Amino acid sequence: MIRKFLRRVFSRAPAATDSHEPAAIPLVRHGIHRESISPGARRTCETLQQAGYLAYVVGGAVRDLIAGITPKDYDIATNATPEEVRALFRRSRIIGRRFQIVHVMQGAETLEVSTFRAAHDADTQKDEHGRVLRDNVFGSQKDDAARRDFTINALYYDPTAETVLDYHHGVADLKQKTLRIIGEPRARYREDPVRMLRAIRLSAKLGLTIDPEARTPIRDMASLMENVPAARVFDEMLKLLFSGHAVECVKRLRDEGLHHGLLPLLDVILEQPMGEKFVMLALSSTDVRVRQGKSTSPGFLFSTLLWNEVLVNWETRKKRGEVQIPALFEAMDEVLDQQAEKLAITRRISGDIKDIWALQPRFEKRSGKPTLRLLEQPRFRAGYDFLLLRAESGEVAMELADWWTTFQDADAEARLAMLLPDKTKKRRRPSRAKTKEGNADTVEPAA
Ligand code: ATP
Ligand code: MG
């Protein structure tokens, strides 16, 4: 009686999403054996549980395992505070000032351990558009489930019991291939507009249909993205572009009217047929590499996304009578400067991008020592891959790309035989034109 009274006094008024009691889904339905999670995730949960805490693998990893995908990483949720977690693991550290989480190192793995967090309430700090600025209040496991974005992300796997606690019918939604938001979609997008991007990315990655209730408001609310800090949008866009499903994601972004203003470059590119073909080819080759587990580089992808801008800028400069190669370098800088405001492209990435672009005019020349020296360039491979995309999209002749394909695999003797006679040397020696043309040889990519 007293307990019941106390519970009534101390419990908050239940929100719509709080009304769910979790279903305990057995192994036969979810299919995740404790051996199928990473050893580090299992050990971390077991250590926390042995110390008397609740501990679960949560979020993306559970969702991916049920969908038959190997998780990228593992997140652990617990009722232990960050200090309590820290005390249990020798190789661990608390990170984040506002909302603390603990990184636990197990062998080569790093596990992210978070304490159950509450959904925000009326006192939560928001900006003038309703975007939540802080949500760092600890809460119950039920609260923690309710503040997550989609039903399929509110699943808690206990490796000891081999059960999944499912607060919002996420397992059923996953099996029915539906992406459903937890709570009222408009309110959830207003709190955090990035959830719209996540809806697109996760639905593309898992082949899900976005539930109409969650899908319809995206078009109306797309403009809220403008209000999200650039670094956050950039992080989410990187996840999207390197998800292995970038082509599908970009298509879905466009279908939902969400591609405007995300990356300034996408706006322009997707509206120009020539640019679009090139970008889609680049995205699809990135998708193939990601799915094959090969390395990918943001520098390469961004160099493709921005190339059309460079071409347009370069063309304008050439028409104004600027000298070919310096004009290219000016165009490169201008395009990167324009993007820097909105995109958090680091100095290293922009160096990589410029290297790839600067190599392009050098592929046009197929005679003399500079051509041989090009093969020794550290960025030759990236530049060549870029050239292939230009050829496939019809920007340069396929014959040029084919020549480089053969040339790089040929032995020294065959390479010499392939070099074309250096016409420019003989014909233009005394003229000024030669000097201009000759500049192409002296272009070195930025370090
Ligand atoms: P992946 O790791 O495959 O990119 P994920 O769903 O695990 O996908 P993370 O960014 O790792 O994405 O987030 C981990 C979990 O945190 C999610 O599964 C979800 O439960 C929760 N989450 C992440 N972002 C949000 C958000 N914007 N709003 C609410 N919950 C979120
Ligand atoms: Mg994750």
Side-chain angles (χ1 to χ4, degrees), residues 84-102:
E84 288 167 340
V85 176
R86 170 74 192 88
L88 283 175
F89 299 93
R90 201 171 47 81
R91 292 176 62 217
S92 68
R93 64 197 165 98
I94 297 179
I95 61 158
R97 249 181 308 160
R98 234 187 51 204
F99 185 77
Q100 297 188 322
I101 57 169
V102 187

Side-chain angles (χ1 to χ4, degrees), residues 179-195:
L179 187 80
R180 205 183 304 277
I181 210 159
I182 298 172
E184 205 279 300
R186 287 178 188 267
R188 301 303 311 276
Y189 292 147
R190 214 170 293 121
E191 286 166 8
D192 182 7
V194 168
R195 288 176 185 147

Side-chain angles (χ1 to χ4, degrees), residues 58-61 63-64 72-73 75 147-150 153-154 188 192 194-195 198 201-202 205 232 236 239:
V58 69
R63 173 198 74 209
D64 288 355
K72 273 196 323 226
D73 44 36
D75 296 319
R147 63 126 188 133
R148 292 180 184 270
D149 44 10
F150 305 108
N153 283 345
R188 301 303 311 276
D192 182 7
V194 168
R195 288 176 185 147
R198 291 178 53 86
R201 174 167 66 87
L202 294 176
K205 168 175 165 175
R232 177 107 199 277
E236 199 54 42
K239 282 195 187 178

Side-chain angles (χ1 to χ4, degrees), residues 63 67 152 173-180 199-200 202-211 252:
R63 173 198 74 209
I152 58 168
D173 282 343
L174 194 52
K175 303 239 179 220
Q176 284 156 19
K177 299 218 157 274
T178 304
L179 187 80
R180 205 183 304 277
I200 302 291
L202 294 176
S203 67
K205 168 175 165 175
L206 296 154
L208 309 181
T209 306
I210 306 177
D211 170 52
R252 289 182 185 217

